[in-house]
Amino acid sequence: MPAEYLQLHSFSKEWNVRGAQAASALTLAAMSLGYGVVQLDVTIVNTALDAMGKSLGGGVAELQWVVSAYTIAFAAFILTAGALGDRIGAKRIFMAGFALFTAASLACALSPHAIMLIGARLVQGLAAAILVPNSLALLNHTYTDDRARGRAVAVWAAGASLALTAGPFVGGALITLVGWRAIFLVNLPIGLAGLWLSWRYAVETTRARSREIDLPGQFAAIGALGALAGAIIEGGELGWQHSLVLSAFAAAAVLATLFVWRESRTSQPMLPLSLFSHRLFTLTTVVGLLVNIAIYGLIFVLSLYFQRINGLSAWWTGLAFVPMMGAVLPVNLLAPRLAERIGPCPTIVVGACISALGCLGLVWIEAGTSYWAIFAQMIAISGGLGLLVPPLTSTLLGSVEKARSGIAAGVLNATRQTGSVLGVALFGSLVGGEGAFMQGLHLALVISAAVLLLAAATIGIGARTRGRTM
């Protein structure tokens, strides 16, 4: 065989390998944009809470609904979105979610009153529910090696961390220079870039046409989560003994029971209860719920603390959050390497304990406390979160067969967003009363520390009882 032919064949093979690597990297970029734009709205909206309240009217309860409408829809629809990706193809569903998120962002920017803004935020949450599990499913499809997948997930999480970091700074600048409506317009170019990269480089997943959509279960999930969030939010305004609040709690309990009953009976459940027979799947799901109750509830109340108690502008509030969010990015990149050394479950335990210590270090905070006096504690809270999320996500995906990666990713993110809903609702109700903000903030910090330590104990003890290193 001529040497020229062998050289040409070798060059062609190397070119194909490099092309495949580039396509994988650009697919990862598209998935990171999808997750990033979802997380961007967390910090941008929290920075704009005071500006939106003054512009549209309303108190803490209305602001809780602006935040919670997004997370309720996110949590309630994410399981169905994962199932749709399994049935129709993750790429198709991911692109549809990106288009819907972009359109809903425009509707948020144009909202003339709080009701329309809350409705547009619901649609945004639905689109976010579509984006996150299908981005993970596409990553799982693209990166088949465990180590490569772990590092890709770390980059995916780091992209979201970058969005979280940029959110306060960009949001504060936009609110100061243009107004709060501009914070939603920034999603438009991100959406267009993500759509193009996905269309051009992502490879469609295998379609499971036998996968059905569980509409009764979906409606029960929406009702249960919405009723529970409403009861907690309005309990802070109306009082916990109010008939509407008690009725909402009762409705949430009944609907949650119906949801579990439905999922145990149907042949194609939106939440296959059999997944929880995997110990690691169950442990990581519970930890995801607990961590988000603590972290995202605190982000909400700290945003109000900076603006309403310490009188900071949106610009300075944004700057106050930049170091906290910025700490997540480098720790996200460190997490998979630490997990390779000591194991993913011990890494999760360390991250949760660091965040808990940060919460306890803030318990003495008062009105007018210097920012630099709480700086290290805020870094600890976010750094612990950055350390635990990549191994948490990768461990959960690795605990189930690849054919169910979409629904597994959906369950993790549904429970995490449910935690966000409960955290914002609970902590918001604690600080919503007249003259009770600081007392409520102190209690929220104690609760957060306890919940994070419970998460560490759950994964630490649960993993150890398996009798092998995780």
Side-chain angles (χ1 to χ4, degrees):
M1 186 174 292
E4 293 83 356
Y5 176 83
L6 292 174
Q7 185 177 12
L8 181 61
H9 178 73
S10 176
F11 176 79
S12 176
K13 185 176 180 180
E14 181 180 354
W15 180 264
N16 289 335
V17 170
R18 289 184 178 181
Q21 291 174 340
S24 296
L26 290 168
T27 298
L28 175 56
M31 301 307 105
S32 298
L33 284 175
Y35 189 30
V37 77
V38 168
Q39 294 288 44
L40 181 67
D41 268 38
V42 173
T43 49
I44 277 192
V45 169
N46 277 292
T47 303
L49 288 174
D50 194 52
M52 287 189 293
K54 291 176 179 177
S55 173
L56 301 176
V60 173
E62 285 75 17
L63 296 178
Q64 284 175 276
W65 278 116
V66 170
V67 174
S68 294
Y70 180 82
T71 46
I72 287 171
F74 196 162
F77 284 102
I78 200 167
L79 294 175
T80 295
L84 277 172
D86 291 341
R87 178 181 174 84
I88 300 174
K91 178 178 177 178
R92 291 180 180 86
I93 298 300
F94 179 82
M95 292 183 64
F98 232 145
L100 185 61
F101 193 96
T102 306
S105 297
L106 181 60
C108 287
L110 299 176
S111 297
H113 47 72
I115 298 300
M116 182 174 174
L117 177 59
I118 292 170
R121 289 281 289 165
L122 277 168
V123 178
Q124 262 195 326
L126 169 60
I130 294 171
L131 285 172
V132 175
N134 288 291
S135 68
L136 277 172
L138 285 168
L139 285 184
N140 204 39
H141 182 72
T142 303
Y143 295 90
T144 55
D145 176 73
D146 287 345
R147 177 172 292 188
R149 185 184 65 236
R151 294 189 175 184
V153 169
V155 173
W156 173 83
S161 301
L162 183 61
L164 284 169
T165 304
F169 178 80
V170 173
L174 289 173
I175 294 162
T176 302
L177 297 174
V178 183
W180 66 265
R181 299 178 189 277
I183 66 172
F184 296 108
L185 296 176
V186 74
N187 295 336
L188 273 59
I190 298 174
L192 294 174
L195 280 168
W196 185 83
L197 286 171
S198 303
W199 170 76
R200 180 67 179 81
Y201 295 105
V203 177
E204 186 59 277
T205 58
T206 303
R207 299 169 66 179
R209 296 182 182 276
S210 60
R211 183 71 169 136
E212 297 177 0
I213 305 303
D214 179 20
L215 290 178
Q218 177 66 86
F219 292 139
I222 296 170
L225 186 55
L228 180 58
I232 298 174
I233 290 172
E234 298 303 330
E237 288 283 309
L238 303 176
W240 299 105
Q241 303 299 320
H242 195 281
S243 59
L244 289 177
V245 174
L246 295 176
S247 297
F249 274 123
V254 170
L255 288 167
T257 302
L258 288 174
F259 174 74
V260 174
W261 178 82
R262 166 70 185 180
E263 300 312 286
S264 67
R265 296 299 183 110
T266 183
S267 60
Q268 293 281 335
M270 63 180 285
L271 175 57
L273 299 181
S274 60
L275 286 173
F276 293 96
S277 63
H278 302 273
R279 182 187 291 270
L280 274 181
F281 180 89
T282 302
L283 292 174
T284 50
T285 299
V286 171
V287 169
L289 172 73
L290 295 174
V291 166
N292 271 38
I293 288 175
I295 301 298
Y296 286 92
L298 280 183
I299 289 174
F300 179 81
V301 296
L302 286 174
S303 297
L304 292 176
Y305 167 77
F306 285 133
Q307 295 175 75
R308 295 196 168 183
I309 302 302
N310 283 2
L312 297 185
S313 66
W315 167 256
W316 286 108
T317 298
L319 289 179
F321 274 108
V322 166
M324 181 181 184
M325 301 305 172
V328 179
L329 175 59
V331 180
N332 273 162
L333 299 175
L334 171 67
R337 288 166 174 78
L338 181 61
E340 289 169 10
R341 284 177 173 269
I342 68 173
C345 291
T347 303
I348 295 168
V349 170
V350 171
C353 289
I354 291 173
S355 291
L357 290 174
C359 294
L360 291 174
L362 282 178
V363 168
W364 57 271
I365 191 172
E366 297 294 343
T369 297
S370 167
Y371 174 72
W372 298 110
I374 63 174
F375 178 82
Q377 297 93 314
M378 292 175 63
I379 295 296
I381 292 170
S382 60
L385 176 68
L387 189 64
L388 68 87
V389 168
L392 183 78
T393 306
S394 186
T395 300
L396 178 135
L397 287 176
S399 69
V400 299
E401 55 272 25
K402 291 187 183 299
R404 307 183 86 180
S405 60
I407 192 65
V411 172
L412 174 63
N413 285 282
T415 53
R416 290 191 65 194
Q417 293 308 312
T418 298
S420 299
V421 172
L422 297 178
V424 170
L426 175 60
F427 293 176
S429 69
L430 295 177
V431 302
E434 288 294 328
F437 190 97
M438 292 311 302
Q439 180 181 353
L441 176 56
H442 294 154
L443 182 56
L445 287 163
V446 172
I447 293 173
S448 293
V451 168
L452 287 164
L453 291 174
L454 177 60
T458 298
I459 192 74
I461 297 173
R464 191 175 298 123
T465 58
R466 290 195 76 195
R468 70 179 189 220
T469 300
M470 298 296 171

